[in-house]
Amino acid sequence: MLTAELIQEAADFLRGRIRRTPMERSQALSDHLGVPVYLKLESLQETGSFKVRGALFALHRARERGVGHVATCSAGNHGKGVAYAASELGMKATIFVPSSVDESKLKAMASLGADVRISEFPGYDETESWALDECESLDLPFISAYDDFEVMAGNGGTVALEVLEDVPEARRFVMPAGGGGHSAGFSFVVRDRFPDAHITLCQHEQSPAFQMSIECGRAVTELPAFQTLAGGLEGGFGTNTFNILRSRYTDVVLVSEAELRRAMRWMMAEHGHVIEGSSAVALAACFRNDFERPDAPTVIFISGRNIGEESLNNVLDEAD
Amino acid sequence: MLTAELIQEAADFLRGRIRRTPMERSQALSDHLGVPVYLKLESLQETGSFKVRGALFALHRARERGVGHVATCSAGNHGKGVAYAASELGMKATIFVPSSVDESKLKAMASLGADVRISEFPGYDETESWALDECESLDLPFISAYDDFEVMAGNGGTVALEVLEDVPEARRFVMPAGGGGHSAGFSFVVRDRFPDAHITLCQHEQSPAFQMSIECGRAVTELPAFQTLAGGLEGGFGTNTFNILRSRYTDVVLVSEAELRRAMRWMMAEHGHVIEGSSAVALAACFRNDFERPDAPTVIFISGRNIGEESLNNVLDEAD
């Protein structure tokens, strides 16, 4: 279960093991939205994304239960986070990745000492079912990238504690939502402290799993893959994360591929930071006409910077 | 005079006013050089460069002396640092800039409330003489970008204290040297603590002011401008900084424009960070054949990330 105690335990464990990432004021967005706007730059976190928080905490808790070897399925930031966490904590990690995995991510996980298993399937969903079967036969505990309470506590809860410490007057929060691991932990902390806080979840218009889940009244846990720079936002929502978020979110904004690419260029031009596509949806949301104007200091969560050089080059090459 | 006390005073003043920037381990450079290699990422500092340190400390000391309005000459990171410091400390800043100033830098300084005066000259040296004349007639104290002891204490001294706290075993230090403000303060601290430390200064081959100063036995304070992405490393050396560095540096490595552009792409591909050309010379030096192999843990100083979007795009577009 997700509790304030679990989140505090995660924060205590992570102190000194991860970076305290900066909160950067955005003058341009403050001017645009008419309230002070801050960016929580988890793109500057160790491993290039916030996912290392949940990975470190979940592996630590597994180790406390006597586990020395864990498995996960991810070709992205969670996989990198788990590989890093295992190497830091002296554990073994087996990481199942789709056959479409990018060479540089594979290299990064392997160089951290992870045992990387490449699936015969290019998509995430088939790879995950294969991974779950393998874990069962190998008797390996599987750490979900999002639908796990320790991951939620680490990924979202501890970020929220830092955000509220650094900008205590913030009441509007804007963040991307993929499987919901970050946003569930984050909104759990914020809503408890400020019942009137406004929490905006941002998704890709081609993969609006949270919005569909709200409409159905239950978590839509699978959605087809598609070509996007926001790979972290593809696919279905978590069941546990949906149950936490359904009573805590305020609204959802959907963003197009062109909008998120434009937001990546904006971030580079205005702040000089590279961010990945999944991070850019939250920024892109703020520039849309259907974005409800904030009436309080606003924090935008910037989740990661892991993007291939070629993709970045393509994005920067486009004219506005 | 530069003293350990002045540097400690700068560090005490800056605590909580600037970011404690991360020290990022570089696995690829560690493999290449055969020793642990760390990057001190001042490119992630507030304002996008370390220059804000010296600016804040120098303006604070000026304020203590009863000064409410200062001037400087810079179209780059020092100008942005002074504009930011004045706005933080409730002071006025007049910044003289060459006519070649880039629009985005001008906007950044003006939006921080600085009074920006554009010179009729495109070059730095003529602009600075005009600025010094204007300051004399306006009775404004002028804060040099590098040849000032408070700037050296803030820019180089305080960075060195953090580096030695974070990687106490480091004995090799590699850094760019422009006017010498950072490297003088940095080497003052390091050499005092570790007389056997190896300090490598890196310059652009078309503007080797420090190497020329060593050969002449006195500071070469002016050099012609040229077209480069490493604008911070153009021009002459400081007289005070040269006197501090001549007995403290170990060697100099000169780098070409092509090498520094390649190092910018390497940083993006390996670490996912944008850096400006002046920062890249220190990285580029490590890949040269004439770079003396380190025999101890090594720290490379990454000074800033302020680069125009178009220049970045051009660099990333090049193939290796």
Side-chain angles (χ1 to χ4, degrees), chain A residues 188 236 276 285:
Chain A
F188 186 91
E276 60 193 45

Side-chain angles (χ1 to χ4, degrees), chain A residues 90-173:
Chain A
M91 297 171 72
K92 282 188 69 178
T94 295
I95 302 173
F96 296 90
V97 302
S99 62
S100 58
V101 61
D102 147 325
E103 190 65 31
S104 71
K105 289 205 170 131
L106 198 63
K107 212 181 105 190
M109 293 189 272
S111 79
L112 286 162
D115 163 32
V116 185
R117 308 274 180 100
I118 302 176
S119 148
E120 62 184 287
F121 309 104
Y124 181 85
D125 286 344
E126 293 105 322
T127 301
E128 195 191 64
S129 359
W130 167 66
L132 289 168
D133 287 349
E134 290 287 297
C135 286
E136 192 154 324
S137 69
L138 297 165
D139 199 24
L140 277 180
F142 183 85
I143 312 240
S144 162
Y146 48 89
D147 218 23
D148 173 297
F149 294 116
E150 289 160 357
V151 168
M152 289 178 222
N155 280 350
T158 66
V159 172
L161 293 178
E162 293 178 17
V163 164
L164 296 184
E165 193 175 304
D166 289 348
V167 188
E169 67 279 20
R171 294 293 179 275
R172 176 76 181 264
F173 305 91

Side-chain angles (χ1 to χ4, degrees), chain A residues 19 22-24 44 107 265 268-274 305 309 312-313 316-317, chain B residues 19 22-24 44 107 265 268-274 305 309 312-313 316-317:
Chain A
R19 295 184 186 158
M23 190 70 97
E24 185 160 292
L44 304 182
K107 212 181 105 190
R265 290 194 294 281
M268 186 62 235
E270 281 292 333
H271 288 263
H273 293 299
V274 173
R305 72 166 186 273
E309 208 186 351
L312 176 68
N313 203 356
L316 293 177
D317 265 338
Chain B
R19 295 183 187 159
M23 191 69 97
E24 186 159 292
L44 304 181
K107 211 181 105 190
R265 290 194 294 280
M268 187 61 235
E270 281 293 331
H271 288 263
H273 293 299
V274 174
R305 72 166 187 274
E309 208 186 351
L312 176 68
N313 203 356
L316 293 177
D317 265 338

Side-chain angles (χ1 to χ4, degrees), chain B residues 28-39:
Chain B
L29 266 175
S30 301
D31 293 345
H32 178 69
L33 295 178
V35 294
V37 177
Y38 301 87
L39 310 177

Side-chain angles (χ1 to χ4, degrees), chain A residues 60-75:
Chain A
H60 156 69
R61 295 266 297 203
R63 194 175 57 172
E64 283 195 327
R65 294 189 291 267
V67 171
H69 187 172
V70 299
T72 194
C73 178
S74 161

Side-chain angles (χ1 to χ4, degrees), chain A residues 24 70 87 92 120 144 170 208 224 230 237 254 257 275 288 293 313 320:
Chain A
E24 185 160 292
V70 299
S87 120
K92 282 188 69 178
E120 62 184 287
S144 162
F237 220 77
L254 303 183
E257 190 76 13
I275 58 171
R288 282 182 58 91
R293 308 296 286 189
N313 203 356
D320 272 317

